[in-house]
Amino acid sequence: MILDETGQRVAELNGDPMARIVFLLTDSLHHQAVLAGDDLVTAKRIGGSILLAIHAFTDADNQDALSLLAALRNEALRAVGE
């Protein structure tokens, strides 16, 4: 019963683009914190940047979120093309 409910919740999260973005940003925060190691200044800057990104997405309405995603996509494609 619990596994069925967990699977259902995971499916709901996977179906929500905003939830996936927040998950990815949180995962990035975790990995960046590991890379920062004992350097607290770097860890604080990384954490602040990731939290601002999460806030930008979760506080945005649908149109703003789509604009943010489009800008991120365009920037990523530009960077890959260089």
Side-chain angles (χ1 to χ4, degrees):
M1 173 100 173
I2 292 175
L3 289 177
D4 290 339
E5 185 176 335
T6 300
Q8 181 182 356
R9 298 295 176 240
V10 169
E12 288 173 5
L13 285 174
N14 286 336
D16 182 349
M18 194 63 66
R20 291 195 325 255
I21 290 292
V22 171
F23 174 81
L24 290 170
L25 290 170
T26 303
D27 189 56
S28 177
L29 175 61
H30 170 77
H31 291 293
Q32 294 296 323
V34 170
L35 292 173
D38 293 334
D39 184 352
L40 297 179
V41 172
T42 300
K44 181 178 177 181
R45 288 183 180 154
I46 291 168
S49 295
I50 299 290
L51 291 174
L52 284 173
I54 290 171
H55 178 71
F57 280 101
T58 57
D59 197 38
D61 63 21
N62 286 344
Q63 190 58 44
D64 286 343
L66 290 174
S67 297
L68 285 168
L69 289 171
L72 286 172
R73 179 182 182 277
N74 291 338
E75 184 60 26
L77 291 174
R78 184 191 63 76
V80 169
E82 289 181 351

